[in-house]
Amino acid sequence: MSSIKIECVLRENCRCGESPVWEEASDSLLFVDIPAKKLCRWDSLSKRVQRVAVDAPVSSVALRQLGGYVATIGTKFCALNWENQSVSVLATVDKEKTNNRFNDGKVDPAGRYFAGTMAEETAPAVLERHQGSLYSLFPDHNVKKYFDQVDVSNGLDWSLDHKIFYYIDSLSYSVDAFDYDLQTGQISNRRIVYKMEKDEQIPDGMCIDAEGKLWVACYNGGRVIRLDPETGKRLQTVKLPVDKTTSCCFGGKDYSEMYVTCARDGMDAEGLLRQPDAGGIFKITGLGVKGIAPYSYAG
């Protein structure tokens, strides 16, 4: 085993950092700070950060085949032109739920942008239950709604053969799987593949590795865990020096590095003194496994 190294590569002080996405073309990590309403791009070569401010909580960002990015802002699927920082709305959801916002999102292998909603929190992970839904934005900008009654729509990814969709509703404390039809974007046959253990706390963002295993960031658990979705067993735990780990993705030139986002909202002064890198971006090397490149929205 190679030795695992964990370093804070960017002390960004995110209130709630989320949705890390590697952009190979620019050797950069994209991520958002949800309550700060900021999209960020960290250049891994120059170590510089560019930030774009938007007018509502921004919960996820993804690459776009046409160039630029797509993002979930408030309850809108949006396109973002990074050069002139302009945002255009592609679709709006949950119009009847004025207190809702999007949460995590990711693009599927066919170029659809999946993202779910939740009620606005009154404190971290404290919110009106069952107010969210899961949606996807098709390349033609039509929106499909899959199901509702979601608490905190969170991590998502697809199996390497594209036949299974993995999904986390955080307050169910489980990682779920659905059968997935890549042609149509249909999902069916929901089942639990992993139930969180008590010290793992709240399942948050998630990504898949090149061996088909899932990595889940554990909010309040200060760790990422590697799961085998076929056996339901945890294979590995990597602890970080911050409690509020929110999401993870693979990046670097051969996708052998893992990037982890985290939050500082909800921490008291003593906690912030103990964890000065809370809200930063962490890089984990030496995991001995690679990830796969993210998909780009096709619309």
Side-chain angles (χ1 to χ4, degrees), residues 8 78 91 123 125 252 284 291:
C8 183
C78 298
I284 305 175

Side-chain angles (χ1 to χ4, degrees), residues 50-253:
Q50 295 171 294
R51 302 171 186 86
V52 171
V54 292
D55 61 4
V58 52
S59 60
S60 75
V61 61
L63 309 176
R64 189 183 190 194
Q65 285 176 21
L66 296 172
Y69 309 110
V70 283
T72 47
I73 302 174
T75 52
K76 296 176 167 74
F77 282 109
C78 298
L80 172 68
N81 179 321
W82 193 265
E83 272 51 63
N84 64 17
Q85 305 197 353
S86 64
V87 173
S88 51
V89 177
L90 303 176
T92 306
V93 305
D94 286 6
K95 287 177 185 142
E96 73 294 347
K97 296 194 169 168
T98 53
N99 190 38
N100 272 23
R101 67 162 173 83
F102 268 119
N103 200 38
D104 209 353
K106 192 169 279 183
V107 175
D108 86 342
R112 305 175 189 98
Y113 189 10
F114 275 68
T117 57
M118 59 184 279
E120 269 290 7
E121 295 165 299
T122 51
V126 179
L127 70 161
E128 193 181 346
R129 308 271 313 247
H130 311 308
Q131 296 303 302
S133 300
L134 180 70
Y135 298 95
S136 74
L137 180 72
F138 278 57
D140 63 5
H141 300 179
N142 277 320
V143 172
K144 179 176 176 62
K145 179 177 175 177
Y146 291 95
F147 49 80
D148 51 23
Q149 299 291 313
V150 173
D151 287 324
V152 178
S153 189
N154 232 320
L156 52 177
D157 218 329
W158 290 264
S159 63
L160 300 181
D161 65 5
H162 308 159
K163 290 180 177 169
I164 303 172
F165 168 59
Y166 298 109
Y167 176 72
I168 290 169
D169 178 353
S170 287
L171 296 187
S172 72
Y173 294 94
S174 67
V175 179
D176 294 355
F178 296 81
D179 295 339
Y180 193 63
D181 185 331
L182 189 65
Q183 284 338 103
T184 62
Q186 291 282 14
I187 62 175
S188 57
N189 185 26
R190 186 174 189 166
R191 59 223 182 247
I192 292 173
V193 295
Y194 184 78
K195 208 70 182 142
M196 303 294 283
E197 296 184 10
K198 198 167 175 60
D199 62 339
E200 291 167 352
Q201 298 285 339
I202 303 173
D204 201 329
M206 168 169 62
C207 69
I208 198 160
D209 66 28
E211 296 172 5
K213 307 298 189 273
L214 299 173
W215 291 82
V216 178
C218 302
Y219 184 83
N220 284 344
R223 67 194 69 184
V224 291
I225 55 175
R226 186 182 193 223
L227 313 175
D228 185 335
E230 291 185 1
T231 63
K233 298 254 190 304
R234 184 183 68 237
L235 305 172
Q236 194 175 354
T237 300
V238 180
K239 295 198 175 168
L240 284 92
V242 288
D243 286 336
K244 295 187 180 294
T245 37
T246 54
S247 193
C248 52
C249 79
F250 284 91
K253 62 178 183 303

Side-chain angles (χ1 to χ4, degrees), residues 269-285:
E270 185 199 352
L272 289 168
L273 275 176
R274 258 202 332 271
Q275 300 181 9
D277 292 334
I281 304 292
F282 287 84
K283 179 171 86 169
I284 305 175
T285 49

